[in-house]
């Protein structure tokens, strides 16, 4: 997939995964990688961006005598997902236009 | 390579970052590698999966927010201090260079010693030896180049 397009989508994938349940880094990779290829080194910048934007927040818990950082969604994050949902039809329409209508909805 | 070595290398490559920022990356990779190992993957394999440290850190540093970088680093600071000291030595010959002149111009002093105060007058007049000025100039230029490059880098990133 084109890297620019990927970048935007993968961010929403991560956000969606976090919205379903609080997640830690490795779990996010496991959850999202069936849909989009994501590596450890690409995940972290995304998490930071989401956190800086206030869409997710993080907290630490102890697991097997070590610290695990969990991420949970905020109201801003939920709103971002709702906005994306609203744009869904527009996005599909654009995709249709680009591919000349050869995409089946 | 074990986890400790991997994290050490990571820290070394990220030394341009502020300590607190660097620690976040270290903690992240520490956690991820531990989690992969908890799944029954060997330490060696879990680290191999991360890829090469240099490419990880290159990516981090190329997308870094300038605020996360250290303002002063050791090299730049040392260069700046060195140039200030050198300028002082050159600018205040009486205070500093007499120290040098005693050694540098000892032959002059001995020859001129017979003339008493005159030799002291001459030695004092010479000021810092020429090579001092040359080195000072080089150090100042190096410092300037270093900092200009650094500030440009910060502004670009």
């Amino acid at each position: 997939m084109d890297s620019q397009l990927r970048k935007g989508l993968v961010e929403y994938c991560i956000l969606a995964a976090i919205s379903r349940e609080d997640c830690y880094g490795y779990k996010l990779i496991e959850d999202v990688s069936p849909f989009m290829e994501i590596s450890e080194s690409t995940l972290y910048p995304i998490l930071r961006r989401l956190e800086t934007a206030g869409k997710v927040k993080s907290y630490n818990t102890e697991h097997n005598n070590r610290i695990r950082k969990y991420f949970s969604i905020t109201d801003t994050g939920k709103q971002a997902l709702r906005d994306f949902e609203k744009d869904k039809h527009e996005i599909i329409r654009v995709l249709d236009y680009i591919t000349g209508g050869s995409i089946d909805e | 390579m074990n986890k400790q070595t991997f994290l050490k290398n990571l820290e070394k490559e990220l030394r341009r970052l502020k300590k607190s920022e660097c620690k976040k990356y270290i903690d992240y990779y520490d956690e991820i590698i531990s989690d992969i190992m908890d799944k029954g993957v060997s330490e060696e394999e879990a680290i191999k999966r991360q890829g090469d440290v240099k490419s990880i850190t290159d990516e981090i540093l190329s997308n870094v927010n300038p605020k996360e970088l250290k303002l002063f680093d050791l090299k730049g600071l040392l260069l700046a201090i060195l140039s200030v000291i050198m300028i002082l030595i050159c600018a205040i010959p009486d205070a500093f260079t007499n120290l040098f002149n005693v050694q540098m111009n000892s032959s002059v002093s001995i020859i001129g010693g017979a003339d008493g105060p005159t030799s002291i007058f001459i030695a004092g007049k010479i000021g810092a030896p020429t090579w001092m000025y040359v080195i000072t100039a080089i150090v100042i230029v190096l410092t300037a180049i270093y900092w200009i490059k650094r500030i440009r880098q910060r502004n670009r990133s």
Side-chain angles (χ1 to χ4, degrees):
Chain A
M1 201 186 286
D2 172 64
S3 67
Q4 290 290 332
L5 197 59
R6 233 188 81 81
K7 213 175 153 186
L9 279 179
V10 85
E11 201 167 309
Y12 281 103
C13 279
I14 303 288
L15 196 57
I18 295 173
S19 79
R20 284 173 195 142
E21 59 173 320
D22 291 3
C23 279
Y24 53 93
Y26 188 60
K27 185 161 193 325
L28 281 171
I29 291 174
E30 281 192 319
D31 288 357
V32 172
S33 46
F35 304 99
M36 292 191 86
E37 196 195 317
I38 185 155
S39 70
E40 288 84 346
S41 60
T42 44
L43 173 67
Y44 192 64
I46 297 170
L47 286 173
R48 292 205 61 167
R49 253 204 315 280
L50 289 172
E51 201 173 2
T52 320
K55 291 174 185 164
V56 302
K57 54 180 193 287
S58 63
Y59 59 93
N60 290 332
T61 49
E62 213 181 287
H63 169 82
N64 281 352
N65 292 323
R66 57 186 174 81
I67 298 288
R68 212 180 227 175
K69 197 174 184 183
Y70 274 83
F71 294 86
S72 64
I73 195 151
T74 62
D75 289 337
T76 320
K78 283 178 195 158
Q79 188 57 49
L81 280 176
R82 275 197 294 271
D83 290 346
F84 189 79
E85 172 90 46
K86 256 185 258 162
D87 294 340
K88 190 173 161 184
H89 295 288
E90 198 182 326
I91 293 166
I92 291 171
R93 224 166 54 86
V94 172
L95 287 179
D96 269 348
Y97 174 71
I98 292 170
T99 54
S102 61
I103 280 184
D104 295 323
E105 276 187 51
Chain B
M1 185 164 37
N2 64 16
K3 193 173 80 176
Q4 286 312 322
T5 324
F6 176 84
L7 296 177
K8 265 237 165 67
N9 290 346
L10 204 63
E11 192 174 356
K12 206 173 122 205
E13 292 295 329
L14 292 176
R15 61 185 180 277
R16 274 178 55 210
L17 295 182
K18 282 180 186 159
K19 274 248 159 57
S20 57
E21 292 303 325
C22 180
K23 193 176 177 301
K24 286 181 192 168
Y25 287 101
I26 303 295
D27 287 347
Y28 170 77
Y29 277 100
D30 193 355
E31 184 196 305
I32 286 265
I33 292 168
S34 301
D35 278 332
I36 296 174
M37 283 161 64
D38 280 357
K39 293 272 164 185
V41 178
S42 74
E43 190 169 356
E44 188 90 9
E45 186 58 38
I47 284 155
K48 212 185 268 170
R49 212 183 275 188
Q50 306 308 314
D52 163 49
V53 172
K54 194 84 182 77
S55 47
I56 296 176
T57 54
D58 278 351
E59 178 152 343
I60 294 173
L61 292 174
S62 65
N63 294 313
V64 77
N65 182 327
K67 281 185 212 130
E68 292 164 11
L69 290 175
K70 280 181 193 160
L71 184 56
F72 300 108
D73 67 334
L74 194 63
K75 218 199 233 164
L77 219 55
L78 282 179
L79 272 174
I81 292 171
L82 188 64
S83 35
V84 169
I85 292 174
M86 303 281 280
I87 291 167
L88 284 178
I89 290 176
C90 292
I92 321 173
D94 287 339
F96 291 95
T97 52
N98 279 349
L99 284 174
F100 286 96
N101 284 338
V102 172
Q103 290 165 344
M104 300 303 299
N105 301 319
S106 54
S107 53
V108 178
S109 304
I110 291 162
I111 296 162
D115 293 323
T118 320
S119 70
I120 298 163
F121 176 72
I122 291 168
K125 269 279 191 184
I126 292 168
T130 323
W131 57 264
M132 278 295 289
Y133 291 112
V134 175
I135 292 177
T136 307
I138 293 171
V139 170
I140 292 171
V141 170
L142 281 179
T143 312
I145 291 174
Y146 185 84
W147 281 97
I148 289 170
K149 259 169 94 178
R150 212 178 143 71
I151 290 166
R152 273 203 185 153
Q153 213 171 29
R154 267 177 85 90
N155 291 343
R156 207 173 340 117
S157 50

